[in-house]
Amino acid sequence: MAKEGSEDQNRVCRNSVRKRRRGEGMEAQGRLFELLPEQPWQADDERRPLARVVFADWEGEFDYLIPDSLRQQVEPGRRLWVPFGRRRKPVIGYCVAVDHRLPPPDKKLKAVAGVADQQPLFTGSMLQTARWLAEYYLCSWGQALEAAVPSGVRSQAGTRLTLVVGLKPGLLDQLAELRLSPQQRAVLDCLASAGEVMTIRELARRAGCSTAPIQQLRKRGLLVSSRVRRLSHPTPPTLAVERTAPPPLTDEQLQAREAIRQAVEQERPDVFLLHGVTGSGKTEVYIHVIERAVALGKQAIVLVPEVSLTPQTEERFRSRFSRVAVLHSYQSDPERHGYWREIYEGRVDVVVGPRSAVFAPVPRLGLVVIDEEHDASFKQEITPRYHAREVARYRCRLEKAPLILGSATPSLESYWRAQQGEYQLLRLTRRIEGRPMPPVRLIDMRDPSHRSVSAGSVSRPLHQAIHQALAEKHQVILLLNRRGYATVIQCMACGHVVRCPQCDIPLTHHRVDVQAKCHYCGHEQPLPENCPGCRSETIRLLGRGTQRLEVELQARFPQAVCVRMDSDAMRKPGAHAAALAKFRDGTAHILLGTQMIAKGLDFPNVTVVGVIHADAALHWPDFRSAERTFQLVTQVAGRTGRGPAGGRVYVQTYTPEHPALLAAAHHDYESFARSELAARRRFGYPPFGQMIRVVVRGPVAEEAEKFAETLGNFLRQKWPTTDARLLGPAVAPMAKLQGKYRFHLLLLTCENLDPLRRLLREARRTLNPPDQVHWIADVEPLDML
């Protein structure tokens, strides 16, 4: 910035001000302003380079001056150190735009203090995707960007400061005039052809010389040294997988492949719903079209619903592709950073991971696949509350890449869009090699003849089926979607139930560490010996979880090896892969667990699948409860019958007449979808309407409830359309979680959600909740509890 005038000019200004103060009036002011045009500086009239910055912790966009020393480094997509408010130390923000314009006349802009990243973390299309996400899901742009980059990348985990050398600016124009030895010239030619900085050791290796010529060039000032952060171990270890030849495709697979292949080649952002029964070969279709995308020099992203699927999916893709990377939260920060860097640099063809992998920084996106697209884990339940399917749709539209949604039980929203022509529906109606779908038997647990002799979890028909399968050297999968040992700890004398003090929910007994635990807030306490209410010793452990089922199976089948897969048993890194490997090689005979074993697993030797308690989520206060039960039973039933020995499915239930279970027993998705869609249409629930759920929570019930009523009244006063409905406020089904009382409102409309979004943003700007009372808006929620 130019200096603000000479000493003489400053003296003239000071004298003029003194005269005005002495009362010489407008004449002196006129002389002062007559001098201003003659000032040699006009910085305020010049366009300046400004950086627009957003933050994860604050709403809005903020402009900062870019100092001359940082002009070459500040660019959209990088993080910047900037002053904010009255804070003494600079804070991290995301640069989303750089332009040259006049600074606002009514504001004194602060300057960028530093640049945090050596390279941009985001491309232009990813910045645009994050901005769309922020607008669609009612969060800030900075929060969306924060979610798109793993924490290990933001913290530069696994890096260290490394000395690198590069060519002096302008040196190439003088190269012919310099007197250089052959080795020195080889060093400069190597740097010039590489177009990047290198470590001294790396440069010596590439130039085929010792480090002496490099040091001589540094002393002459022909090489410029600097310190940058480099990954200590840039390439994470990968699985050693034997390459396999592709199996022949069925006619249905060929038709699906050709339809998607054309979209890949023509760069059409079409959305395909690949509806295939379990075992119909959906993954093989994915692989074939990904091979075409890779042949065109592009990359693919494959999203899977559970971390437990990642090892198997990774192995499947590594057997066909040489450059595969995996991103998921079970990796260490340095490992995740290493993979992310490989993807960013274009050294990866296929990215595999759960929900967050939708943000993988592939340079040329050619295809996105969402396997088991119906799964609820693709919806994030913390801010930003995005759905990976919708983010993938938007990103594919920007980058002209097709999107494949694959499932045996598509979400009703996706199925309805396909029916309306918004998606292209592709069907795989038959299993590979013409294998039949396994027969499903609904076991009515109200019938005394079906109950277990020992009052355990396994009914008599299921016990007999397990016994027969083990005798024939086959394997068994059992699903119980409740972890822990006992789900209720109750006194038989007074009926008191031991509850979480923070959540008002019954604690679950865990046998491994003899603790009573809350699965929502993590509270733990010892198992009481006496009733906290009446001091009686008649404490009983009621209900059944996976730990209790494991104990029962070990007692019933002592010769069988059981493997339990739930979030308690799978805490250590690599636990999923180890458990599945043990089951795959036949070391384990029974695999039991929660819903993480219900999807995507392919074990041909499994001939019996049992669902221990199919009613667990069937009667929740959630309009999607029937859909989720149908999907869970259908998916786990599909884990059997994949080999020559066939398979059978046993579903234990107290409501065998329920339409969702009857449809699952007949593998009849269409009939279930027709009946469920008809019910949704009557009430205007998705997909026939759109919804936003607002949850107000606070440590004092009265304060939270009062603010929920205030918010409800504000929304009703400014309600934008007669077509929309506002329900509530009411006590949430889970009235207290993590020490906070909860109240919710439902906003429903058959039209566009944008008016409701604008109204909620206005409410956030206008209303000030009491201290410790917070509220969130969940767009298109999946969790209604």
Side-chain angles (χ1 to χ4, degrees):
M1 187 173 180
K3 292 184 178 180
E4 298 185 359
S6 64
E7 181 61 30
D8 292 339
Q9 290 159 344
N10 290 337
R11 186 168 57 252
V12 170
C13 291
R14 289 195 298 270
N15 291 337
S16 299
V17 172
R18 291 192 190 102
K19 290 180 181 179
R20 186 173 71 249
R21 289 176 177 172
R22 287 196 301 266
E24 296 194 16
M26 296 299 297
E27 182 180 356
Q29 286 193 28
R31 290 198 301 270
L32 173 64
F33 284 105
E34 286 174 3
L35 292 174
L36 291 181
E38 300 176 6
Q39 300 285 340
W41 55 279
Q42 298 180 7
D44 290 341
D45 296 330
E46 295 177 354
R47 294 182 179 274
R48 297 294 308 277
L50 303 180
R52 181 151 294 180
V53 178
V54 297
F55 300 93
D57 297 328
W58 300 286
E59 293 272 357
E61 302 172 18
F62 302 85
D63 288 335
Y64 287 86
L65 294 170
I66 302 176
D68 293 343
S69 60
L70 297 178
R71 286 192 183 187
Q72 301 301 318
Q73 301 176 49
V74 175
E75 60 180 318
R78 292 199 190 194
R79 293 178 302 159
L80 307 178
W81 288 103
V82 295
F84 191 86
R86 298 181 179 179
R87 289 167 176 78
R88 293 182 178 180
K89 295 182 179 180
V91 297
I92 283 280
Y94 293 88
C95 179
V96 296
V98 173
D99 53 9
H100 288 70
R101 51 192 166 88
L102 290 174
D106 57 337
K107 293 182 180 179
K108 183 179 180 181
L109 296 184
K110 299 178 180 180
V112 175
V115 179
D117 302 307
Q118 297 174 24
Q119 296 173 309
L121 300 182
F122 303 97
T123 61
S125 63
M126 282 305 299
L127 286 173
Q128 192 171 343
T129 298
R131 184 168 194 170
W132 169 87
L133 187 155
E135 294 173 353
Y136 193 88
Y137 289 104
L138 295 174
C139 66
S140 71
W141 196 353
Q143 288 172 326
L145 291 170
E146 192 95 341
V149 181
S151 60
V153 178
R154 296 197 304 269
S155 64
Q156 300 181 347
T159 63
R160 62 184 178 186
L161 284 174
T162 304
L163 179 69
V164 295
V165 293
L167 293 176
K168 173 187 174 183
L171 181 63
L172 292 179
D173 298 333
Q174 311 168 13
L175 202 56
E177 306 172 2
L178 296 174
R179 297 183 59 183
L180 302 169
S181 70
Q183 289 182 326
Q184 290 174 338
R185 191 168 296 276
V187 169
L188 297 182
D189 289 343
C190 184
L191 279 173
S193 59
E196 60 181 1
V197 297
M198 300 183 195
T199 64
I200 293 177
R201 181 177 297 179
E202 181 183 10
L203 180 56
R205 180 180 59 80
R206 290 196 189 184
C209 65
S210 66
T211 60
I214 301 173
Q215 300 293 1
Q216 293 166 2
L217 290 171
R218 291 180 66 195
K219 290 180 180 179
R220 294 176 61 180
L222 301 180
L223 295 184
V224 178
S225 304
S226 60
R227 289 189 178 273
V228 298
R229 286 200 169 273
R230 290 279 182 93
L231 281 166
S232 304
H233 304 286
T235 305
T238 58
L239 293 174
V241 180
E242 182 180 353
R243 301 298 291 269
T244 60
L249 300 182
T250 66
D251 291 341
E252 290 181 327
Q253 286 177 310
L254 286 170
Q255 292 174 7
R257 183 195 68 179
E258 288 307 301
I260 304 170
R261 181 185 60 80
Q262 292 178 16
V264 171
E265 293 176 348
Q266 298 171 15
E267 297 186 343
R268 298 198 318 262
D270 297 347
V271 182
F272 298 92
L273 178 59
L274 185 58
H275 181 198
V277 299
T278 55
S280 58
K282 294 184 289 295
T283 304
E284 195 60 37
V285 175
Y286 305 155
I287 290 176
H288 273 256
V289 292
I290 290 173
E291 286 175 339
R292 183 55 185 154
V294 171
L296 294 172
K298 299 181 179 181
Q299 297 88 34
I301 298 174
V302 181
L303 305 184
V304 291
E306 296 279 1
V307 175
S308 63
L309 289 183
T310 302
Q312 180 169 318
T313 308
E314 179 185 5
E315 182 178 339
R316 182 79 177 270
F317 280 92
R318 285 197 186 281
S319 70
R320 302 283 286 278
F321 299 94
S322 58
R323 305 199 306 173
V324 178
V326 178
L327 292 173
H328 60 76
S329 58
Y330 275 65
Q331 294 168 331
S332 65
D333 281 349
E335 184 180 8
R336 202 171 187 189
H337 187 191
Y339 272 128
W340 191 93
R341 185 60 57 183
E342 285 191 344
I343 297 166
Y344 179 91
E345 295 171 355
R347 295 185 282 130
V348 167
D349 294 325
V350 184
V351 180
V352 179
R355 175 182 64 235
S356 59
V358 72
F359 300 110
V362 293
R364 294 191 64 203
L365 182 64
L367 179 71
V368 175
V369 176
I370 302 183
D371 194 28
E372 311 294 358
E373 69 87 27
H374 65 275
D375 197 88
S377 66
F378 287 123
K379 178 74 159 69
Q380 180 154 292
E381 297 302 336
I382 59 174
T383 302
R385 292 173 169 78
Y386 68 90
H387 197 299
R389 179 185 61 220
E390 303 307 316
V391 177
R393 284 183 68 196
Y394 187 85
R395 184 177 179 185
C396 286
R397 197 178 307 130
L398 275 184
E399 303 191 34
K400 299 180 180 179
L403 169 64
I404 306 175
L405 308 175
S407 178
T409 56
S411 65
L412 291 178
E413 289 84 352
S414 294
Y415 183 72
W416 176 250
R417 287 174 177 174
Q419 294 293 318
Q420 301 305 302
E422 191 174 344
Y423 296 169
Q424 185 172 338
L425 181 60
L426 306 173
R427 296 182 185 273
L428 302 179
T429 60
R430 293 183 294 274
R431 281 187 156 189
I432 298 298
E433 299 180 0
R435 295 193 180 101
M437 299 298 293
V440 179
R441 179 180 175 182
L442 298 178
I443 302 174
D444 188 350
M445 298 300 287
R446 298 171 299 187
D447 187 342
S449 65
H450 290 159
R451 295 174 189 166
S452 171
V453 176
S454 60
S457 303
V458 180
S459 64
R460 289 181 178 180
L462 180 56
H463 175 95
Q464 294 169 359
I466 296 173
H467 180 78
Q468 181 180 349
L470 296 177
E472 295 172 353
K473 307 299 182 182
H474 295 309
Q475 292 173 298
V476 177
I477 290 179
L478 298 177
L479 169 71
L480 177 56
N481 207 21
R482 289 180 175 175
R483 59 192 181 97
Y485 184 83
T487 55
V488 177
I489 304 169
Q490 188 172 25
C491 173
M492 295 292 100
C494 69
H496 175 81
V497 174
V498 180
R499 295 179 174 272
C500 173
Q502 300 297 319
C503 300
D504 196 28
I505 289 174
L507 293 177
T508 298
H509 171 53
H510 283 246
R511 185 172 183 266
V512 176
D513 46 7
V514 197
Q515 291 285 306
K517 299 183 180 181
C518 176
H519 292 167
Y520 291 90
C521 72
H523 170 80
E524 296 185 18
Q525 64 185 54
L527 181 68
E529 297 180 358
N530 303 93
C531 173
C534 69
R535 310 307 301 170
S536 170
E537 296 182 358
T538 57
I539 293 289
R540 294 292 181 269
L541 303 177
L542 308 177
R544 295 173 177 84
T546 49
Q547 292 181 7
R548 192 170 203 158
L549 177 61
E550 182 181 26
V551 172
E552 180 180 344
L553 291 171
Q554 290 170 345
R556 287 174 179 260
F557 310 102
Q559 303 303 319
V561 177
C562 297
V563 171
R564 174 169 57 88
M565 288 187 66
D566 54 29
S567 57
D568 299 312
M570 299 290 108
R571 290 179 178 176
K572 295 181 179 179
H576 294 89
L580 295 177
K582 191 175 182 181
F583 193 65
R584 183 181 297 108
D585 63 22
T587 306
H589 311 105
I590 301 176
L591 176 65
L592 67 101
T594 54
Q595 62 180 351
M596 65 172 61
I597 68 168
K599 300 173 288 290
L601 302 181
D602 188 355
F603 299 111
N605 196 39
V606 173
T607 58
V608 170
V609 164
V611 180
I612 301 301
H613 187 24
D615 309 322
L618 191 57
H619 305 295
W620 284 359
D622 186 339
F623 69 91
R624 288 191 177 91
S625 59
E627 179 184 10
R628 286 178 176 150
T629 299
F630 171 83
Q631 291 168 340
L632 189 61
V633 173
T634 301
Q635 289 288 340
V636 74
R639 299 316 104 205
T640 188
R642 292 171 174 251
R648 295 161 291 165
V649 183
Y650 297 83
V651 179
Q652 299 180 174
T653 174
Y654 288 90
T655 54
E657 68 283 354
H658 196 284
L661 294 177
L662 290 173
H666 292 91
H667 306 284
D668 191 352
Y669 176 85
E670 277 71 21
S671 69
F672 170 77
R674 281 195 301 271
S675 62
E676 189 67 14
L677 285 172
R680 301 269 185 98
R681 188 192 295 271
R682 286 197 300 271
F683 297 101
Y685 286 141
F688 302 102
Q690 294 180 286
M691 178 185 297
I692 300 178
R693 184 186 186 218
V694 175
V695 179
V696 179
R697 55 179 183 256
V700 180
E702 292 77 11
E703 289 184 354
E705 183 178 18
K706 184 177 180 180
F707 180 76
E709 293 172 351
T710 301
L711 177 58
N713 293 334
F714 177 90
L715 297 177
R716 285 189 173 89
Q717 290 172 4
K718 297 178 176 289
W719 201 240
T721 172
T722 57
D723 184 66
R725 293 180 292 157
L726 174 60
L727 306 179
V731 178
M734 288 190 174
K736 185 182 180 185
L737 284 178
Q738 299 178 352
K740 303 292 178 64
Y741 295 91
R742 306 167 75 244
F743 300 84
H744 67 161
L745 304 94
L746 296 181
L747 291 70
L748 300 102
T749 180
C750 295
E751 299 178 352
N752 194 293
L753 277 177
D754 287 343
L756 299 183
R757 288 190 184 93
R758 288 193 292 270
L759 180 56
L760 287 169
R761 287 193 182 276
E762 182 182 354
R764 191 169 293 281
R765 291 191 302 268
T766 305
L767 301 179
N768 293 317
D771 291 343
Q772 297 185 317
V773 173
H774 305 279
W775 65 281
I776 59 97
D778 189 1
V779 178
E780 298 173 349
L782 293 186
D783 180 9
M784 301 299 295
L785 302 181

